[in-house]
Amino acid sequence: MAPSKKSKKTVDTINSRIKLVMKSGKAVLGYKASVKALRKSKSKMVLISSNCPPLRRSEVEYLAMLAKTQVHHYTGDNTALGTACGKLFNCSILSIIDAGDSDILTVKE
């Protein structure tokens, strides 16, 4: 029972950090925009939802490895990631360009 409570707290902290990034920093939502940011090496961190298709996930992970960018596998699905960003639509990939006031870049999985 304790591990579920800890994972719930982890999800809450990552959600609050994502909200702070969306408010004070700069981030792009979606696959195409994230790939563009990765190719230009502008992205600092990439968050991938749990139900992102495997081929797309591996492509983004490969581009992130080439760009020396952190990859975080978000525990929720694309609906939860879109909600955490404060949007009313699904989002499978979130690319953080500038963290702003948030300390999300120092987070370890």
Side-chain angles (χ1 to χ4, degrees):
M1 191 165 172
S4 66
K5 195 171 188 180
K6 184 179 181 185
S7 66
K8 175 77 172 161
K9 187 162 179 86
T10 307
V11 169
D12 287 342
T13 59
I14 198 77
N15 283 350
S16 64
R17 288 176 174 152
I18 290 172
K19 285 179 186 173
L20 192 57
V21 166
M22 296 304 286
K23 189 168 188 158
S24 66
K26 183 157 174 53
V28 291
L29 299 168
Y31 169 72
K32 287 173 74 174
S34 296
V35 166
K36 284 181 184 178
L38 281 170
R39 286 192 178 145
K40 292 179 181 177
S41 296
K42 291 185 183 242
S43 181
K44 303 248 188 338
M45 182 180 212
V46 176
L47 283 91
I48 304 174
S49 68
S50 63
N51 64 343
C52 185
L55 185 64
R56 184 171 285 191
R57 176 190 312 242
S58 63
E59 181 184 357
V60 169
E61 287 172 348
Y62 176 70
L63 288 170
M65 186 248 333
L66 289 178
K68 297 180 179 73
T69 302
Q70 295 179 354
V71 176
H72 180 80
H73 296 283
Y74 188 72
T75 54
D77 60 350
N78 56 0
T79 307
L81 184 58
T83 305
C85 294
K87 305 295 181 188
L88 298 175
F89 49 83
N90 300 342
C91 172
S92 62
I93 297 174
L94 168 71
S95 181
I96 298 171
I97 294 172
D98 178 32
D101 296 334
S102 177
D103 61 343
I104 196 166
L105 298 177
T106 61
V107 149
K108 300 291 180 203
E109 287 185 50

